[in-house]
Amino acid sequence: RVEMIQLAMPVYDGFGAGTCGKYLLREFALRGEVFWDAVPGDEAIADSATRKLAQAHYQALEADREFALLQFTGPELEQQTKFKGHPNVGYVFSEWEPITQEQKQNLRAFDVLVAGSTWNARVLEAAGFGCTPVQQGVDTGIFHPGLRKRRSKFVIYSGGQFAYRKAQDLVIRAVRVLQERHDDIWLLASWFNLWENQDHYEEVRQGLRIMGLPLLDHQRLAFEMNQTDIGFFPNRCEGGTNLMMMDYLACGKPVVANVSTGQADVLDSTYCLPIQGNDCELVEQMVECGERLYRDRSEREAMGREAAQAMAAWPWSRTAQGIEQAITRFNS
């Protein structure tokens, strides 16, 4: 059992790493001693319960630790702090394949590596690193099936910061085809991110029926997800399982999703129509699957029930336990 762990990770719901850090802080606090120190991204910890928890467990990271230090690896798989723990634990969410020589050098600073998905673990293992896949979780107390008020539209959901990895450009191409066929199809886009104050909706709005969401707290985001019919997640290279997709599934919604990388860990044909291939093939498959689910409400509803049930098997306690086990194996 891990007696003490220091978290050097954000605890803010405004982005995926912050959501993960928030729930890991909660879980490790329930399990025993945990310390936390603020990192970039924590400038506006929005929810009061997390603020109180962070304050209660705050300890500044001013020197190396004699106990476990858990942090995310950076974009180039480097440490986010100059300090180290015993062991020094890196949580990896990388879209790189293969790992570069510089990234390999950066990863050598860690004693224990855990990866956000089986795919990411395989990439690290191919580069010569021992690694344990530890997937993230879902808060089904927030993300669960709810009342849908919009009945006159068929709404496709797309979420995640506007980026090559998230493949919104492919979503736009597929939705445009479907909207040309059906007047009642709309796109609900949750593409806002903290790092760039930009409006992507204007550049794609021409000829597209689209509703754009700002950055929302999770209660409101869950409500908006429940106003939709299906989700498109053609993400090209997900190192993790895609938190936003998992949240969407937990709301009882079926998805059309790329199973080439990390997303595959949490997907099943009972609630997902899987897609794979190059960009053109992904668009063609999204159109075909979107058409199928548009026409068959009973299939959508059956898949949605399966999705909500499946996500109940991915609590955040499972994530904390997986990380704890990886640390314990190193210490034994």
Side-chain angles (χ1 to χ4, degrees):
R1 183 179 183 275
V2 176
E3 294 184 0
M4 192 175 293
I5 188 168
Q6 170 97 41
L7 300 184
M9 52 178 60
V11 291
Y12 174 46
D13 272 339
F15 56 106
T19 296
C20 182
K22 163 185 164 177
Y23 283 104
L24 287 179
L25 175 60
R26 289 186 183 183
E27 291 297 329
F28 285 123
L30 290 172
R31 288 165 177 268
E33 287 297 321
V34 63
F35 295 129
W36 167 84
D37 191 13
V39 297
D42 281 324
E43 290 80 6
I45 304 174
D47 97 70
S48 60
T50 302
R51 266 202 312 274
K52 290 177 182 177
L53 192 63
Q55 290 166 359
H57 293 273
Y58 175 76
Q59 186 171 112
L61 190 58
E62 297 174 339
D64 289 352
R65 290 301 196 203
E66 295 181 0
F67 47 85
L69 170 63
L70 174 64
Q71 59 182 300
F72 290 113
T73 62
E76 294 302 323
L77 308 187
E78 75 275 24
Q79 291 194 115
Q80 293 295 278
T81 171
K82 63 181 179 180
F83 302 112
K84 296 184 179 181
H86 182 75
N88 207 38
V89 186
Y91 203 175
V92 184
F93 295 85
S94 172
E95 60 195 75
W96 293 88
E97 185 184 20
I99 300 297
T100 68
Q101 289 300 317
E102 182 179 355
Q103 290 165 345
K104 289 180 184 179
Q105 184 61 39
N106 291 339
L107 288 172
R108 293 188 182 104
F110 297 99
D111 304 303
V112 177
L113 291 172
V114 292
S117 69
T118 303
W119 172 78
N120 212 165
R122 285 199 299 264
V123 172
L124 293 177
E125 288 164 359
F129 293 91
C131 187
T132 302
V134 179
Q135 294 84 358
Q136 296 179 93
V138 180
D139 185 346
T140 54
I142 295 176
F143 294 98
H144 53 77
L147 181 66
R148 181 176 180 205
K149 294 185 177 180
R150 299 179 186 131
R151 297 291 179 186
S152 60
K153 302 181 180 71
F154 182 90
V155 184
I156 298 170
Y157 178 78
S158 172
Q161 68 184 89
F162 202 92
Y164 175 83
R165 172 167 52 100
K166 300 296 184 181
Q168 287 97 339
D169 56 310
L170 305 185
V171 172
I172 291 166
R173 287 166 57 184
V175 169
R176 198 177 295 279
V177 173
L178 289 166
Q179 288 187 348
E180 289 171 354
R181 297 179 182 178
H182 306 284
D183 293 338
D184 60 339
I185 290 182
W186 283 72
L187 174 64
L188 181 67
S190 181
W191 296 339
F192 185 89
N193 71 78
L194 292 171
W195 298 277
E196 298 176 69
N197 183 18
Q198 54 193 353
D199 185 357
H200 294 290
Y201 314 117
E202 291 303 323
E203 65 191 61
V204 301
R205 187 180 296 278
Q206 291 186 359
L208 200 67
R209 296 184 292 278
I210 183 172
M211 300 172 285
L213 293 177
L215 185 65
L216 298 175
D217 63 67
H218 281 188
Q219 293 281 0
R220 292 173 63 200
L221 180 60
F223 172 82
E224 292 295 341
M225 287 177 171
N226 272 298
Q227 308 313 303
T228 68
D229 294 280
I230 64 172
F232 277 177
F233 295 93
N235 304 38
R236 291 182 172 99
C237 41
E238 281 292 340
T241 48
N242 189 353
L243 275 183
M244 191 161 276
M245 184 186 71
M246 293 176 73
D247 293 341
Y248 187 75
L249 288 164
C251 288
K253 303 294 179 180
V255 298
V256 178
N258 192 345
V259 295
S260 298
T261 57
Q263 294 184 158
D265 282 2
V266 297
L267 294 176
D268 184 276
S269 60
T270 59
Y271 50 86
C272 166
L273 297 184
I275 58 176
Q276 280 183 291
N278 61 36
D279 285 0
C280 288
E281 290 168 335
L282 290 171
V283 171
E284 290 172 359
Q285 291 168 59
M286 269 191 290
V287 171
E288 179 182 348
C289 294
E291 187 75 47
R292 170 178 161 180
L293 292 176
Y294 172 83
R295 295 185 179 280
D296 195 335
R297 178 175 177 176
S298 62
E299 182 180 22
R300 293 198 309 269
E301 292 178 346
M303 291 177 70
R305 289 190 293 270
E306 293 286 345
Q309 183 175 345
M311 289 305 103
W314 297 91
W316 282 102
S317 58
R318 185 182 183 278
T319 308
Q321 183 179 23
I323 292 172
E324 189 176 60
Q325 289 172 345
I327 295 171
T328 301
R329 284 194 295 271
F330 176 84
N331 287 335
S332 61

